[in-house]
Amino acid sequence: MSKLRIVILGSTGSIGTQTLDVARRHPDKLEVVGLAAHSSIDAVIAQAHEFKVRHIAFGNEALVNDARLANAHGGVSVGFGQEGLLDLVRMDGVDMVVNALVGAAGMRASYETLACGKRLALANKESLVVAGDLIMPLATKVDAQLAAAQSALDESCVSVGETTGRAAGMVDAPGMHGALMPIDSEHGAIYQCLMGERAAEVTALWVTASGGPFRGKTRDQLAGMTAKQALAHPTWHMGPKITIDSSTLMNKGLEVIEAHHLFNMSYDRIKVVVQPQSAIHSMVEFSDGSVKAHLGTTDMRIPIQYALSYPDRWDAPVDPLDFTKLGSLEFYPADTDTFRCLALARHAGGVGGTLPCAMNAANEVAVAAFLRDACGYLDIDACVEHVMERHEAQGVQVVESLDQLAEVDAWARAEARDYLKTHKR
């Protein structure tokens, strides 16, 4: 079997480094052919040396004359800015792009990956939250191409009395041919629970939440919370932005919107439940009352590896969950009165169009301000709500292009910054 050739965008972040760990464990199955980060020159060069990567890029164009780039081994191509990142995506000899870029910057890379007919392993939430209306049609097109190629391969193997060993016995379902694989514990869990099932028989998707470090707190108690406290997640080790989003439940709101796009599911059938142990990563409910739940160790290398290995399963990158030590499993409703970002995200998704773009941009600005102690914790949802209200008052637009979304994003960021200057607690 030939190796899967992958490009990793965001290779120095949490998802990127864990993806490289999976590649380290499976050198016979994976070949890293491209690496990109925003500014971490030393780390990317070290990764390029280890994995013998000849193509790297940096989102920060100001690094073009940085002397440290001389440490890259001979023959390495180095790109800069958005075009540098996209050049990695467009390269010949790339089978899959792992998009672990943080924020709206990852959208165009996701779009370009699928537009080039390549598979996308997606850890960038904003790609679907903001541009799902543009990206999912591309994913469907690539999925159809993969299905056709698999069908032709199966027929060829049958004619000579062989089997491919891939996708055998599976009930065909839209989106199940691997064009867009979510690198996310919740959506990866739902994806696996849907395998072999008929979409018409799915009645609900249950997205689980840990509840974050502030579960059970009141609004008054949240008012004085610091970034250090918000970053102390009880079960997952993630980057700072997504950890703050987890504490506000915005992360769960983003996942609801993602699930809507990924699984073509109406919002009234996407439910959120708090599961503090983070042992159940998500569930799917069916018309006969059955519920499938995906359980596993809280380690992101599991969904990362599955996205890369699909439809196969490779040896586990971590120790399996020990059910004898798990203890009890608790479930609670999500407190949307206290953690208002979840309700705001649901509203944005329900309205659709460009409102999720405005919501996401405002959240990014507010979270960044909170992390540098430039606003209070409750300013985050207040800022998001203000920008959403302003955008709805001006008129939500149908999503038509990435350039249009970039304009809405820029407007929302400016509106959010202005709000925080005058209204922060």
Side-chain angles (χ1 to χ4, degrees):
M1 182 180 70
S2 59
K3 294 182 182 180
L4 182 73
R5 298 164 298 184
I6 63 172
V7 164
I8 305 174
L9 306 180
S11 65
T12 61
S14 175
I15 295 296
T17 54
Q18 290 179 88
T19 301
L20 287 171
D21 190 50
V22 172
R24 215 173 268 118
R25 292 165 181 268
H26 298 284
D28 57 324
K29 299 180 178 71
L30 295 171
E31 180 183 0
V32 182
V33 297
L35 296 166
H38 184 260
S39 300
S40 303
I41 289 180
D42 294 335
V44 170
I45 289 177
Q47 292 171 344
H49 277 296
E50 178 183 355
F51 291 92
K52 298 180 173 58
V53 174
R54 303 181 65 82
H55 304 280
I56 61 177
F58 299 94
N60 184 356
E61 295 186 47
L63 300 178
V64 65
N65 296 315
D66 196 295
R68 289 173 294 171
L69 291 172
N71 294 326
H73 54 77
V76 173
S77 68
V78 185
F80 299 92
Q82 186 176 85
E83 281 304 307
L85 299 178
L86 296 181
D87 284 343
L88 290 184
V89 169
R90 297 172 182 138
M91 285 193 311
D92 292 334
V94 175
D95 301 311
M96 175 177 267
V97 174
V98 178
N99 187 352
L101 296 173
V102 176
M107 283 191 305
R108 199 169 291 271
S110 293
Y111 185 94
E112 192 70 18
T113 297
L114 294 167
C116 291
K118 295 170 182 174
R119 295 175 61 201
L120 174 65
L122 186 60
N124 173 266
K125 292 184 178 300
E126 291 74 14
S127 291
L128 292 181
V129 170
V130 176
D133 291 337
L134 301 176
I135 286 173
M136 287 312 298
L138 288 175
T140 299
K141 182 178 179 180
V142 177
D143 226 37
Q145 295 169 353
L146 292 171
Q150 184 63 49
S151 178
L153 181 60
D154 289 343
E155 288 181 11
S156 174
C157 289
V158 168
S159 69
V160 294
E162 298 177 352
T163 61
T164 63
R166 294 176 67 83
M170 288 169 46
V171 176
D172 193 25
M176 287 296 181
H177 295 283
L180 198 170
M181 296 297 298
I183 291 184
D184 181 86
S185 62
E186 291 81 5
H187 300 109
I190 292 170
Y191 199 102
Q192 294 179 63
C193 289
L194 289 172
M195 292 299 300
E197 302 289 352
R198 298 184 181 92
E201 295 173 350
V202 176
T203 54
L205 306 179
W206 285 89
V207 180
T208 55
S210 69
F214 301 148
R215 181 172 65 88
K217 301 290 187 185
T218 65
R219 291 285 291 182
D220 287 343
Q221 290 173 320
L222 291 178
M225 292 301 172
T226 65
K228 182 178 180 180
Q229 290 171 304
L231 289 170
H233 197 281
T235 54
W236 291 100
H237 299 286
M238 306 173 291
K241 195 269 182 181
I242 192 173
T243 304
I244 300 300
D245 282 350
S246 179
S247 76
T248 64
L249 292 193
M250 174 57 86
N251 190 50
K252 216 48 50 180
L254 300 179
E255 288 173 1
V256 167
I257 298 174
E258 283 184 285
H260 164 74
H261 288 292
L262 278 170
F263 307 113
N264 192 29
M265 188 68 60
S266 61
Y267 283 100
D268 63 322
R269 293 199 291 162
I270 305 174
K271 306 177 186 300
V272 174
V273 62
V274 175
Q275 206 285 295
Q277 291 77 26
S278 295
I280 295 179
H281 297 148
S282 275
M283 302 174 285
V284 175
E285 182 181 313
F286 298 93
S287 55
D288 65 351
S290 299
V291 178
K292 278 187 180 180
H294 179 282
L295 288 82
T297 305
T298 55
D299 193 301
M300 282 304 298
R301 286 174 295 180
I302 295 176
I304 290 169
Q305 180 169 295
Y306 186 73
L308 300 175
S309 70
Y310 178 83
D312 301 325
R313 292 185 187 273
W314 301 339
D315 292 342
V318 296
D319 292 334
L321 187 65
D322 186 344
F323 289 95
T324 65
K325 298 178 181 178
L326 180 59
S328 62
L329 292 174
E330 300 171 278
F331 301 90
Y332 303 98
D335 182 357
T336 54
D337 291 329
T338 301
F339 300 94
R340 299 185 59 252
C341 283
L342 175 55
L344 291 170
R346 275 193 171 278
H347 175 73
V351 172
T354 53
L355 188 57
C357 177
M359 174 205 71
N360 177 75
N363 181 64
E364 285 193 16
V365 169
V367 168
F370 175 67
L371 283 170
R372 63 175 187 270
D373 198 29
C375 74
Y377 187 77
L378 294 182
D379 288 324
I380 297 174
D381 60 45
C383 178
V384 171
E385 184 173 30
H386 167 78
V387 173
M388 287 174 60
E389 288 177 348
R390 288 273 293 139
H391 189 56
E392 287 192 89
Q394 292 183 3
V396 175
Q397 309 159 35
V398 174
V399 174
E400 297 177 345
S401 70
L402 291 178
D403 289 341
Q404 170 206 27
L405 291 172
E407 291 179 4
V408 173
D409 179 271
W411 170 85
R413 289 175 189 274
E415 190 72 25
R417 284 190 287 267
D418 287 345
Y419 174 85
L420 291 175
K421 287 178 184 177
T422 56
H423 292 82
K424 67 180 181 180
R425 290 174 173 79

